[in-house]
Amino acid sequence: MKRKCIMIIIIVCVLMIPFYFYQKVYSQSHATPLKYRYVVIDPGHGGLDNGAMEYGYKEDDINLSISKLLKSELEYYGATVYLTRDGDYDMTKRNHHYSKQDDMYLRVKEIDKHQAHYLLSIHQNAANNSKAWGSQVFHYYRSKKGKTLANKIDRHLKEVTHSRKPISGCGFRVLRATQTVGVLIECGFMSNYNECGQLRNENYQRKLVEQIVKGLIEYDQEATKKDKKQSKKILE
């Protein structure tokens, strides 16, 4: 009986070796390019401010869903991530007398509190023309870094959305008044019936998130190399 037990233990150990090896290789190959990077994700709207409402669906709900997936993806690559909201509320957290001005003031204050490297504000678009479609990335028009980041994210995002819309400079307060490099991402048009269906789909949301993160990583790596070169020149 004792001999039989020893044989069983040996067999189990042998069978576990490939699994252990796989786990070790996987953990070693899991790169964390965003380690030591702080990112704030701002799911647009919330609470009494639903944003766009199309076909019975609310923009603020979709914004939050995508933002939570984005948070997980960024953390997977090593980033420390903060959400301006993690539930169905605006920044005033009042259930009466909604004030956009108060909401934006508190939203900017919350973003700056974290002194992050990057800001990603997540939104959905809508138009009177139900045929309008496609993602679009906005940056503060005076921010060169914001424009470069917008270009990186836009290029990767279009691999999924196939949008024809170019990036655009803007004066949105969430980008203008905050102290970090940021972009506002309109993931698509809820007013377009087909695109609204995609935007509500979790698998599609994951595809969007993957592309957004690819763009951010690409920007961060290039910006880091540029900073190192400039530091080297100063030392020389």
Side-chain angles (χ1 to χ4, degrees), residues 87-111:
D88 186 17
Y89 53 86
D90 63 78
M91 300 310 294
T92 67
K93 296 183 179 178
R94 297 196 296 254
N95 58 5
H96 57 86
H97 298 100
Y98 171 73
S99 167
K100 187 70 175 178
Q101 185 175 355
D102 291 349
D103 176 50
M104 291 309 301
Y105 169 77
L106 293 171
R107 200 172 292 259
V108 167
K109 193 174 180 180
E110 175 68 18
I111 292 166

mmCIF file of all heavy atoms in Angstrom, residues 87-111:
data_model
loop_
_atom_site.group_PDB
_atom_site.id
_atom_site.type_symbol
_atom_site.label_atom_id
_atom_site.label_comp_id
_atom_site.label_asym_id
_atom_site.label_seq_id
_atom_site.Cartn_x
_atom_site.Cartn_y
_atom_site.Cartn_z
ATOM 1 N N GLY A 87 -19.033 53.911 -10.404
ATOM 2 C CA GLY A 87 -20.446 53.564 -10.329
ATOM 3 C C GLY A 87 -21.286 54.579 -11.078
ATOM 4 O O GLY A 87 -20.755 55.492 -11.723
ATOM 5 N N ASP A 88 -22.600 54.452 -10.967
ATOM 6 C CA ASP A 88 -23.505 55.335 -11.709
ATOM 7 C C ASP A 88 -23.789 56.605 -10.909
ATOM 8 O O ASP A 88 -24.827 56.758 -10.276
ATOM 9 C CB ASP A 88 -24.815 54.598 -12.011
ATOM 10 C CG ASP A 88 -25.737 55.424 -12.910
ATOM 11 O OD1 ASP A 88 -25.234 56.381 -13.541
ATOM 12 O OD2 ASP A 88 -26.941 55.118 -12.964
ATOM 13 N N TYR A 89 -22.823 57.510 -10.926
ATOM 14 C CA TYR A 89 -22.982 58.800 -10.262
ATOM 15 C C TYR A 89 -22.099 59.823 -10.961
ATOM 16 O O TYR A 89 -21.129 59.470 -11.632
ATOM 17 C CB TYR A 89 -22.595 58.710 -8.778
ATOM 18 C CG TYR A 89 -21.214 58.132 -8.530
ATOM 19 C CD1 TYR A 89 -20.072 58.933 -8.555
ATOM 20 C CD2 TYR A 89 -21.052 56.776 -8.269
ATOM 21 C CE1 TYR A 89 -18.813 58.401 -8.334
ATOM 22 C CE2 TYR A 89 -19.795 56.228 -8.046
ATOM 23 C CZ TYR A 89 -18.668 57.044 -8.079
ATOM 24 O OH TYR A 89 -17.425 56.511 -7.872
ATOM 25 N N ASP A 90 -22.458 61.100 -10.835
ATOM 26 C CA ASP A 90 -21.569 62.138 -11.350
ATOM 27 C C ASP A 90 -20.688 62.574 -10.185
ATOM 28 O O ASP A 90 -20.810 62.071 -9.068
ATOM 29 C CB ASP A 90 -22.366 63.311 -11.931
ATOM 30 C CG ASP A 90 -23.211 64.017 -10.887
ATOM 31 O OD1 ASP A 90 -22.645 64.803 -10.110
ATOM 32 O OD2 ASP A 90 -24.440 63.779 -10.843
ATOM 33 N N MET A 91 -19.781 63.500 -10.439
ATOM 34 C CA MET A 91 -18.791 63.845 -9.419
ATOM 35 C C MET A 91 -19.378 64.609 -8.237
ATOM 36 O O MET A 91 -18.785 64.656 -7.161
ATOM 37 C CB MET A 91 -17.650 64.645 -10.053
ATOM 38 C CG MET A 91 -16.920 63.895 -11.153
ATOM 39 S SD MET A 91 -16.392 62.219 -10.664
ATOM 40 C CE MET A 91 -15.190 62.624 -9.408
ATOM 41 N N THR A 92 -20.570 65.220 -8.422
ATOM 42 C CA THR A 92 -21.189 65.928 -7.296
ATOM 43 C C THR A 92 -21.827 64.923 -6.330
ATOM 44 O O THR A 92 -22.051 65.238 -5.169
ATOM 45 C CB THR A 92 -22.283 66.907 -7.772
ATOM 46 O OG1 THR A 92 -23.375 66.157 -8.323
ATOM 47 C CG2 THR A 92 -21.740 67.861 -8.822
ATOM 48 N N LYS A 93 -22.134 63.742 -6.855
ATOM 49 C CA LYS A 93 -22.773 62.667 -6.078
ATOM 50 C C LYS A 93 -24.095 63.130 -5.459
ATOM 51 O O LYS A 93 -24.498 62.672 -4.396
ATOM 52 C CB LYS A 93 -21.821 62.137 -5.002
ATOM 53 C CG LYS A 93 -20.573 61.477 -5.585
ATOM 54 C CD LYS A 93 -19.680 60.889 -4.523
ATOM 55 C CE LYS A 93 -18.464 60.237 -5.172
ATOM 56 N NZ LYS A 93 -17.521 59.673 -4.179
ATOM 57 N N ARG A 94 -24.759 64.038 -6.185
ATOM 58 C CA ARG A 94 -26.085 64.479 -5.765
ATOM 59 C C ARG A 94 -27.129 63.779 -6.630
ATOM 60 O O ARG A 94 -26.878 63.451 -7.783
ATOM 61 C CB ARG A 94 -26.244 65.997 -5.937
ATOM 62 C CG ARG A 94 -25.309 66.832 -5.078
ATOM 63 C CD ARG A 94 -25.799 68.275 -5.022
ATOM 64 N NE ARG A 94 -25.770 68.919 -6.319
ATOM 65 C CZ ARG A 94 -24.862 69.832 -6.677
ATOM 66 N NH1 ARG A 94 -23.894 70.182 -5.846
ATOM 67 N NH2 ARG A 94 -24.925 70.399 -7.868
ATOM 68 N N ASN A 95 -28.299 63.557 -6.078
ATOM 69 C CA ASN A 95 -29.380 62.964 -6.876
ATOM 70 C C ASN A 95 -30.452 64.004 -7.204
ATOM 71 O O ASN A 95 -31.599 63.693 -7.462
ATOM 72 C CB ASN A 95 -30.015 61.771 -6.137
ATOM 73 C CG ASN A 95 -30.576 62.151 -4.769
ATOM 74 O OD1 ASN A 95 -30.573 63.323 -4.402
ATOM 75 N ND2 ASN A 95 -31.042 61.165 -4.037
ATOM 76 N N HIS A 96 -30.032 65.275 -7.198
ATOM 77 C CA HIS A 96 -30.950 66.363 -7.537
ATOM 78 C C HIS A 96 -30.120 67.565 -7.977
ATOM 79 O O HIS A 96 -28.928 67.675 -7.669
ATOM 80 C CB HIS A 96 -31.801 66.744 -6.328
ATOM 81 C CG HIS A 96 -30.986 67.149 -5.124
ATOM 82 N ND1 HIS A 96 -30.524 68.435 -4.930
ATOM 83 C CD2 HIS A 96 -30.517 66.419 -4.078
ATOM 84 C CE1 HIS A 96 -29.833 68.502 -3.812
ATOM 85 N NE2 HIS A 96 -29.803 67.282 -3.269
ATOM 86 N N HIS A 97 -30.747 68.477 -8.688
ATOM 87 C CA HIS A 97 -30.110 69.718 -9.118
ATOM 88 C C HIS A 97 -28.721 69.490 -9.723
ATOM 89 O O HIS A 97 -27.716 70.029 -9.254
ATOM 90 C CB HIS A 97 -29.989 70.703 -7.940
ATOM 91 C CG HIS A 97 -31.315 71.111 -7.381
ATOM 92 N ND1 HIS A 97 -31.836 70.547 -6.244
ATOM 93 C CD2 HIS A 97 -32.224 72.018 -7.824
ATOM 94 C CE1 HIS A 97 -33.022 71.089 -5.985
ATOM 95 N NE2 HIS A 97 -33.285 71.983 -6.942
ATOM 96 N N TYR A 98 -28.674 68.670 -10.757
ATOM 97 C CA TYR A 98 -27.390 68.391 -11.416
ATOM 98 C C TYR A 98 -26.800 69.672 -12.000
ATOM 99 O O TYR A 98 -27.494 70.480 -12.614
ATOM 100 C CB TYR A 98 -27.567 67.364 -12.537
ATOM 101 C CG TYR A 98 -26.315 67.195 -13.381
ATOM 102 C CD1 TYR A 98 -25.211 66.521 -12.874
ATOM 103 C CD2 TYR A 98 -26.228 67.754 -14.652
ATOM 104 C CE1 TYR A 98 -24.052 66.394 -13.620
ATOM 105 C CE2 TYR A 98 -25.070 67.625 -15.409
ATOM 106 C CZ TYR A 98 -23.983 66.942 -14.880
ATOM 107 O OH TYR A 98 -22.841 66.819 -15.624
ATOM 108 N N SER A 99 -25.520 69.855 -11.800
ATOM 109 C CA SER A 99 -24.804 71.018 -12.335
ATOM 110 C C SER A 99 -23.589 70.538 -13.119
ATOM 111 O O SER A 99 -22.671 69.961 -12.536
ATOM 112 C CB SER A 99 -24.351 71.940 -11.185
ATOM 113 O OG SER A 99 -23.403 72.888 -11.664
ATOM 114 N N LYS A 100 -23.587 70.790 -14.418
ATOM 115 C CA LYS A 100 -22.450 70.389 -15.257
ATOM 116 C C LYS A 100 -21.188 71.116 -14.822
ATOM 117 O O LYS A 100 -20.096 70.528 -14.798
ATOM 118 C CB LYS A 100 -22.759 70.707 -16.733
ATOM 119 C CG LYS A 100 -21.720 70.180 -17.718
ATOM 120 C CD LYS A 100 -21.765 68.672 -17.804
ATOM 121 C CE LYS A 100 -20.824 68.134 -18.855
ATOM 122 N NZ LYS A 100 -20.833 66.650 -18.905
ATOM 123 N N GLN A 101 -21.338 72.378 -14.465
ATOM 124 C CA GLN A 101 -20.193 73.173 -14.043
ATOM 125 C C GLN A 101 -19.551 72.587 -12.788
ATOM 126 O O GLN A 101 -18.328 72.448 -12.697
ATOM 127 C CB GLN A 101 -20.619 74.619 -13.785
ATOM 128 C CG GLN A 101 -19.453 75.555 -13.465
ATOM 129 C CD GLN A 101 -19.892 77.012 -13.341
ATOM 130 O OE1 GLN A 101 -21.049 77.342 -13.573
ATOM 131 N NE2 GLN A 101 -18.972 77.877 -12.973
ATOM 132 N N ASP A 102 -20.379 72.231 -11.806
ATOM 133 C CA ASP A 102 -19.866 71.631 -10.571
ATOM 134 C C ASP A 102 -19.218 70.274 -10.854
ATOM 135 O O ASP A 102 -18.167 69.946 -10.299
ATOM 136 C CB ASP A 102 -20.996 71.457 -9.551
ATOM 137 C CG ASP A 102 -21.505 72.780 -9.003
ATOM 138 O OD1 ASP A 102 -20.844 73.814 -9.245
ATOM 139 O OD2 ASP A 102 -22.560 72.785 -8.347
ATOM 140 N N ASP A 103 -19.870 69.511 -11.696
ATOM 141 C CA ASP A 103 -19.361 68.184 -12.037
ATOM 142 C C ASP A 103 -17.974 68.278 -12.660
ATOM 143 O O ASP A 103 -17.043 67.559 -12.283
ATOM 144 C CB ASP A 103 -20.327 67.479 -12.995
ATOM 145 C CG ASP A 103 -19.807 66.126 -13.452
ATOM 146 O OD1 ASP A 103 -19.410 65.319 -12.599
ATOM 147 O OD2 ASP A 103 -19.786 65.876 -14.675
ATOM 148 N N MET A 104 -17.813 69.183 -13.620
ATOM 149 C CA MET A 104 -16.536 69.315 -14.311
ATOM 150 C C MET A 104 -15.447 69.853 -13.382
ATOM 151 O O MET A 104 -14.295 69.430 -13.449
ATOM 152 C CB MET A 104 -16.673 70.227 -15.535
ATOM 153 C CG MET A 104 -17.509 69.630 -16.660
ATOM 154 S SD MET A 104 -16.999 67.962 -17.145
ATOM 155 C CE MET A 104 -15.304 68.232 -17.626
ATOM 156 N N TYR A 105 -15.824 70.781 -12.508
ATOM 157 C CA TYR A 105 -14.863 71.321 -11.539
ATOM 158 C C TYR A 105 -14.319 70.199 -10.657
ATOM 159 O O TYR A 105 -13.097 70.072 -10.457
ATOM 160 C CB TYR A 105 -15.531 72.394 -10.674
ATOM 161 C CG TYR A 105 -14.693 72.815 -9.478
ATOM 162 C CD1 TYR A 105 -13.604 73.673 -9.629
ATOM 163 C CD2 TYR A 105 -14.987 72.326 -8.209
ATOM 164 C CE1 TYR A 105 -12.826 74.032 -8.540
ATOM 165 C CE2 TYR A 105 -14.215 72.679 -7.110
ATOM 166 C CZ TYR A 105 -13.137 73.536 -7.276
ATOM 167 O OH TYR A 105 -12.370 73.877 -6.191
ATOM 168 N N LEU A 106 -15.227 69.368 -10.144
ATOM 169 C CA LEU A 106 -14.833 68.268 -9.263
ATOM 170 C C LEU A 106 -14.100 67.162 -10.025
ATOM 171 O O LEU A 106 -13.206 66.515 -9.489
ATOM 172 C CB LEU A 106 -16.067 67.694 -8.559
ATOM 173 C CG LEU A 106 -16.738 68.641 -7.554
ATOM 174 C CD1 LEU A 106 -18.064 68.060 -7.088
ATOM 175 C CD2 LEU A 106 -15.822 68.896 -6.364
ATOM 176 N N ARG A 107 -14.478 66.976 -11.283
ATOM 177 C CA ARG A 107 -13.828 65.953 -12.119
ATOM 178 C C ARG A 107 -12.357 66.320 -12.352
ATOM 179 O O ARG A 107 -11.472 65.483 -12.225
ATOM 180 C CB ARG A 107 -14.571 65.828 -13.450
ATOM 181 C CG ARG A 107 -14.335 64.520 -14.198
ATOM 182 C CD ARG A 107 -15.276 64.425 -15.390
ATOM 183 N NE ARG A 107 -16.662 64.286 -14.986
ATOM 184 C CZ ARG A 107 -17.322 63.126 -14.978
ATOM 185 N NH1 ARG A 107 -16.721 62.018 -15.357
ATOM 186 N NH2 ARG A 107 -18.588 63.080 -14.612
ATOM 187 N N VAL A 108 -12.125 67.579 -12.686
ATOM 188 C CA VAL A 108 -10.755 68.056 -12.902
ATOM 189 C C VAL A 108 -9.947 67.954 -11.607
ATOM 190 O O VAL A 108 -8.780 67.534 -11.613
ATOM 191 C CB VAL A 108 -10.763 69.516 -13.419
ATOM 192 C CG1 VAL A 108 -9.370 70.127 -13.349
ATOM 193 C CG2 VAL A 108 -11.290 69.561 -14.844
ATOM 194 N N LYS A 109 -10.567 68.313 -10.507
ATOM 195 C CA LYS A 109 -9.906 68.247 -9.203
ATOM 196 C C LYS A 109 -9.526 66.810 -8.860
ATOM 197 O O LYS A 109 -8.428 66.548 -8.349
ATOM 198 C CB LYS A 109 -10.842 68.823 -8.128
ATOM 199 C CG LYS A 109 -10.176 69.101 -6.793
ATOM 200 C CD LYS A 109 -11.131 69.811 -5.850
ATOM 201 C CE LYS A 109 -10.448 70.073 -4.510
ATOM 202 N NZ LYS A 109 -11.354 70.775 -3.562
ATOM 203 N N GLU A 110 -10.410 65.882 -9.140
ATOM 204 C CA GLU A 110 -10.158 64.458 -8.871
ATOM 205 C C GLU A 110 -9.015 63.940 -9.737
ATOM 206 O O GLU A 110 -8.153 63.194 -9.262
ATOM 207 C CB GLU A 110 -11.431 63.649 -9.151
ATOM 208 C CG GLU A 110 -11.280 62.151 -9.021
ATOM 209 C CD GLU A 110 -11.028 61.687 -7.591
ATOM 210 O OE1 GLU A 110 -11.309 62.460 -6.650
ATOM 211 O OE2 GLU A 110 -10.552 60.553 -7.407
ATOM 212 N N ILE A 111 -8.987 64.333 -10.989
ATOM 213 C CA ILE A 111 -7.925 63.903 -11.910
ATOM 214 C C ILE A 111 -6.565 64.407 -11.446
ATOM 215 O O ILE A 111 -5.598 63.657 -11.355
ATOM 216 C CB ILE A 111 -8.226 64.379 -13.344
ATOM 217 C CG1 ILE A 111 -9.452 63.655 -13.899
ATOM 218 C CG2 ILE A 111 -7.019 64.149 -14.260
ATOM 219 C CD1 ILE A 111 -10.037 64.273 -15.156
#
